[in-house]
Amino acid sequence: MSPFLNTTLRPYLNAVRATLQAALCLENFSSQVVERHNKPEVEVRSSKELLLQPVVISRNDKEKVLIEGSINSVRVSIAVKQADEIEKILCHKFMRFMMMRAENFFILRRKPVEGYDINVQTQAGGLRHPLHGGNRQGDQRDETVRQRQGPYRC
Amino acid sequence: MSKQAASARFRRVDVDEYDENKFVDEEDGGENQLGPDEAEVDSLIRQGNLMEALHAVLKNPPINTKNQNVKDRAEGLVLKVLSSFKSSDIEKGVQSLDKNGVDLLMKYIYKGFERPSENSSAVLLQWHEKALAAGGVGSIVRVLTARKTV
């Protein structure tokens, strides 16, 4: 590992952080296609005007991050460096372990985008009740639902 | 009841195409945009006049053209200029650009990240840091929200 390689880590992370800061500007946006639905536009990709330019930040040809934004959601795809066979296997197994438990992680995607190893996806106003669609305005409504269904039914 | 002989083709019409509020990207005729002048930029690099080369290569960005070759050539040229700068001169180079220049530089930097070669990412990361200092997060937002990219 050349000493030069280590000097790209800090600028790489800073560049990713700055780009995320720009892309993570989200607002709640109900679906324009189906009423009373609130879908992550970066996943559905139904309307061109709601999507941002996808942007890549690469440290070298093996490690890169793809950031796709939209009006209410952002998807970050990470390609992890895998130097040899054993690292490839370990990475694959570890990612699979986490992605199988994506429901508990909330922001993990179950399948990585083509060419990358793992995806993190988040949506404005869509996190608290993954099973309830519809309008997100309702701290009050959510409270009523919680009372009806009990605190552990989430 | 007798079945209508008229066709049921109306069922296959994509109603969303005819929605008058449907968003369509503007199609500017960009066929004449050729990108930065290769000969000029090459001669400036050979002379060692890197500031001028930077300004020259950021002229005429092939934003509207659909020709991928023009875009690739422009990107290659920009990468050549950016790589020939010394690390200590990068900041001065960025300072010499105006706001639009910094935005355009950011676009080229992100384009360059998509195709990493030998050392390109390291150079681009240095330029990204300095351009970010000059343009702020706003310059990145303008790259993300641009409808037409370089």
Side-chain angles (χ1 to χ4, degrees):
Chain A
M1 181 117 16
S2 74
F4 186 61
L5 206 55
N6 287 334
T7 66
T8 56
L9 181 61
R10 188 119 302 256
Y12 173 58
L13 297 179
N14 286 337
V16 173
R17 165 179 297 165
T19 318
L20 272 180
Q21 213 175 0
L24 272 170
C25 198
L26 308 176
E27 62 179 275
N28 187 17
F29 194 84
S30 308
S31 169
Q32 292 182 131
V33 177
V34 185
E35 59 181 85
R36 308 191 87 203
H37 276 213
N38 195 320
K39 303 179 201 237
E41 292 300 329
V42 80
E43 192 65 45
V44 178
R45 307 198 92 91
S46 52
S47 317
K48 264 188 304 176
E49 71 270 23
L50 302 176
L51 303 174
L52 296 181
Q53 296 283 353
V55 134
V56 176
I57 300 129
S58 59
R59 185 183 174 194
N60 48 54
D61 57 337
K62 297 277 175 5
E63 280 181 82
K64 50 191 164 136
V65 167
L66 169 70
I67 298 179
E68 300 163 283
S70 69
I71 185 163
N72 65 353
S73 43
V74 165
R75 177 160 69 203
V76 180
S77 315
I78 306 175
V80 170
K81 181 165 76 148
Q82 295 151 57
D84 54 6
E85 272 306 316
I86 188 79
E87 276 190 26
K88 273 206 189 70
I89 297 174
L90 284 174
C91 176
H92 184 226
K93 290 220 172 293
F94 184 43
M95 298 305 168
R96 220 174 77 95
F97 177 86
M98 292 206 287
M99 287 191 280
M100 281 208 305
R101 292 151 180 84
E103 211 160 282
N104 293 60
F105 279 111
F106 286 113
I107 58 172
L108 223 53
R109 195 166 176 264
R110 281 191 179 275
K111 276 205 120 46
V113 165
E114 190 68 52
Y116 293 87
D117 296 307
I118 193 162
N119 274 127
V120 174
Q121 181 177 313
T122 183
Q123 181 185 355
L127 278 186
R128 266 195 297 141
H129 279 259
L131 301 179
H132 294 283
N135 248 330
R136 286 271 141 246
Q137 296 167 354
D139 278 26
Q140 225 176 8
R141 180 181 173 274
D142 290 342
E143 190 48 49
T144 328
V145 170
R146 191 187 294 272
Q147 278 173 4
R148 239 183 325 138
Q149 293 187 339
Y152 301 111
R153 275 269 287 172
C154 207
Chain B
M1 300 286 109
S2 72
K3 190 162 159 200
Q4 288 273 15
S7 71
R9 259 190 319 184
F10 68 89
R11 297 189 190 280
R12 307 236 183 274
V13 171
D14 181 9
V15 186
D16 287 327
E17 285 293 310
Y18 300 106
D19 181 13
E20 50 204 25
N21 292 333
K22 184 173 158 90
F23 177 80
V24 188
D25 266 321
E26 309 175 350
E27 304 282 345
D28 276 351
E31 296 315 322
N32 299 327
Q33 280 190 340
L34 294 169
D37 187 2
E38 208 163 332
E40 183 188 345
V41 173
D42 277 338
S43 70
L44 283 169
I45 298 182
R46 258 177 285 124
Q47 287 167 18
N49 192 347
L50 294 175
M51 291 292 185
E52 279 309 313
L54 183 63
H55 285 252
V57 88
L58 288 177
K59 273 196 287 207
N60 276 345
I63 287 191
N64 285 326
T65 171
K66 302 220 192 69
N67 188 350
Q68 193 54 36
N69 288 339
V70 176
K71 296 199 181 202
D72 290 343
R73 244 184 315 126
E75 175 57 38
L77 214 54
V78 172
L79 201 50
K80 210 164 37 160
V81 173
L82 296 187
S83 314
S84 44
F85 264 74
K86 281 206 293 279
S87 306
S88 40
D89 293 336
I90 293 184
E91 184 157 2
K92 266 191 289 169
V94 171
Q95 300 292 355
S96 73
L97 295 174
D98 62 344
K99 190 168 85 97
N100 288 339
V102 174
D103 287 347
L104 189 55
L105 178 65
M106 265 300 192
K107 280 197 186 151
Y108 274 119
I109 290 177
Y110 278 112
K111 190 85 197 297
F113 275 135
E114 287 173 24
R115 261 182 271 174
S117 65
E118 277 286 319
N119 232 356
S120 66
S121 293
V123 163
L124 287 173
L125 282 171
Q126 283 180 313
W127 276 92
H128 185 280
E129 190 184 337
K130 298 289 186 274
L132 178 63
V137 181
S139 59
I140 304 185
V141 177
R142 282 185 282 275
V143 172
L144 293 174
T145 53
R147 293 307 314 173
K148 297 193 192 2
T149 173
V150 102

